[in-house]
Amino acid sequence: MSGIGRNDPCPCGSGRKYKKCCLAREPVTALAYAPAEREDALARLFRFARRTEFDEAHADARTAFWADWMDDRSDADLSEAMGLEASEAAYQEWFAFDVRLSNGSTIVTELLAREGDRLRSGELRFLERMRRSHLRLYEIARVRPDEGLDLVDLWTKARISVQERLATHQLVEWDVLGVRVVLGPTGVPVLEGMPFLYPARAKDDVVTQLRRAHRAFKRVAREGDLTTFFKAHGMRFHHFWLDHVALRRMPQLVTAEGDDIVLARVVFDVKDPTRSTRPSRVIPRSCRRAMGATSGSTRRRSRRPRPDDDGAGRYRSCPRERSLERSVAGVSGRCYREAIV
């Protein structure tokens, strides 16, 4: 897979061409940073962010993180949302990379300025790339199994290819993803940080809300660019995830006799992610009937996709269950599963 072209949009999201943006800043090297250097850099950054000197900044940032989402929400909703481990991980990442401190700097910039001489070269390169990053909204245009993804920036309509292996088995075309795209260790764009996976049906609502927020932002900060906007409003990507995935309101359903159908949500930790991501061999009865199995059949075997499936090897009558796994900043080793019906 080739790297990003000189005339392609820069993956940092500045809107400029790559050759006029990050290309000139990137050192020529076979491997910009090793996986261990990435992990060490993140660990050092989050330790630095927990210093007591930033307590006041944390208080202001937490208020800003939840302020917009609190409108029209009950205390029970807010308590449930704030109690999610994913909420804390999203906040910590936003605070470390995007929040402007009282001096106009960010936590990652302060770390580089104060302790940069004690960091390894790979740690410096990784943090520099992350410093320029911000969350952006993308649509999956193409999945190349075990190779990568072709993404469409839903703000600029620019197309970008990223190198990714695991997610190619978990994402499908038309999925919507809120994520940071940065140059990886080989100079090829990669997905980085905590990803937010939204159902395709959420695209219009998410884009509309972002556009509305950008118009309000421009009325206040006329000189602000897109990078400044997305960094200041990075918490919205988590809010969208809460509304469309984690805390999505259940539909009101009744039986043919008029009795209420009660739907339940189950949230649990996965102790063994490798086992949880294996395809289940237990197929719901409705799916077995859709595949032609008789009602009395007790065999539970996977079948090859038929022409009337949904185009991704799943039958339209079956629930769509997918998981997007990543080592989330500050929450290493936790597996999140999302079920979208």
Side-chain angles (χ1 to χ4, degrees):
M1 177 178 176
S2 60
I4 188 170
R6 290 170 53 84
N7 292 314
D8 291 340
C10 186
C12 76
S14 65
R16 294 183 293 172
K17 291 183 178 181
Y18 176 50
K19 66 182 180 182
K20 295 183 178 180
C21 190
C22 291
L23 177 61
R25 306 173 188 173
E26 298 296 336
V28 179
T29 179
L31 194 65
Y33 55 86
E37 291 176 316
R38 173 190 177 276
E39 296 299 324
D40 290 346
L42 286 173
R44 182 187 287 265
L45 175 65
F46 289 109
R47 284 198 304 271
F48 182 80
R50 290 194 294 268
R51 291 186 177 182
T52 56
E53 63 181 287
F54 301 121
D55 285 352
E56 185 175 347
H58 270 295
D60 293 340
R62 285 190 184 277
T63 299
F65 188 84
W66 291 107
D68 291 337
W69 194 82
M70 289 171 59
D71 295 340
D72 302 324
R73 298 306 198 291
S74 66
D75 291 341
D77 288 339
L78 182 60
S79 177
E80 183 178 6
M82 295 182 70
L84 295 175
E85 192 167 349
S87 294
E88 182 63 18
Y91 166 75
Q92 293 293 345
E93 182 178 301
W94 178 66
F95 181 77
F97 293 112
D98 301 328
V99 171
R100 286 190 176 273
L101 303 175
S102 58
N103 62 358
S105 182
T106 60
I107 293 294
V108 64
T109 303
E110 287 293 310
L111 173 65
L112 290 169
R114 300 186 196 181
E115 302 183 8
D117 58 341
R118 297 197 292 273
L119 297 174
R120 290 175 289 178
S121 60
E123 294 174 326
L124 281 171
R125 294 191 190 101
F126 173 75
L127 290 176
E128 269 296 333
R129 296 178 185 191
M130 289 297 291
R131 182 183 66 83
R132 300 192 293 268
S133 72
H134 57 269
L135 285 165
R136 202 72 172 242
L137 193 67
Y138 299 95
E139 184 176 63
I140 309 294
R142 180 189 173 201
V143 177
R144 292 175 278 107
D146 293 317
E147 292 184 10
L149 305 166
D150 291 346
L151 309 177
V152 175
D153 187 324
L154 291 178
W155 194 270
T156 64
K157 304 304 180 183
R159 191 174 178 121
I160 183 172
S161 295
V162 299
Q163 189 177 49
E164 175 65 36
R165 186 190 63 80
L166 181 61
T168 62
H169 298 281
Q170 302 163 343
L171 301 175
V172 296
E173 189 176 351
W174 309 118
D175 276 342
V176 179
L177 192 64
V179 71
R180 298 172 192 264
V181 175
V182 302
L183 292 179
T186 61
V188 176
V190 298
L191 306 180
E192 189 54 74
M194 182 175 183
F196 298 97
L197 176 63
Y198 314 110
R201 65 176 179 271
K203 181 178 76 171
D204 291 342
D205 177 63
V206 172
V207 171
T208 298
Q209 290 193 53
L210 281 176
R211 295 284 183 188
R212 186 182 300 124
H214 184 252
R215 288 194 294 270
F217 170 78
K218 293 298 289 184
R219 286 195 293 268
V220 177
R222 296 182 181 276
E223 301 301 323
D225 58 12
L226 280 179
T227 297
T228 304
F229 165 71
F230 280 110
K231 279 183 170 290
H233 292 263
M235 82 291 285
R236 292 183 181 273
F237 289 86
H238 183 64
H239 298 170
F240 299 147
W241 179 77
L242 291 173
D243 292 338
H244 291 283
V245 180
L247 303 181
R248 180 164 62 95
R249 290 184 174 88
M250 295 295 186
Q252 298 296 317
L253 302 176
V254 295
T255 66
E257 293 76 20
D259 298 324
D260 289 336
I261 297 177
V262 179
L263 302 179
R265 179 190 299 117
V266 179
V267 180
F268 56 91
D269 291 338
V270 178
K271 294 183 178 179
D272 188 351
T274 60
R275 296 187 62 184
S276 69
T277 55
R278 294 173 187 167
S280 174
R281 299 189 65 85
V282 179
I283 304 174
R285 181 174 300 175
S286 62
C287 300
R288 295 202 301 274
R289 285 199 292 267
M291 292 187 285
T294 62
S295 59
S297 174
T298 58
R299 299 182 67 184
R300 295 179 174 179
R301 292 191 302 132
S302 299
R303 301 292 185 94
R304 291 183 180 274
R306 298 188 316 198
D308 62 342
D309 69 5
D310 68 355
R314 293 183 296 261
Y315 290 87
R316 284 188 286 268
S317 59
C318 300
R320 238 175 113 201
E321 184 176 345
R322 294 173 285 120
S323 67
L324 181 58
E325 296 178 55
R326 186 164 297 278
S327 177
V328 178
V331 191
S332 178
R334 178 59 57 91
C335 174
Y336 295 94
R337 294 188 66 83
E338 300 170 1
I340 302 174
V341 179

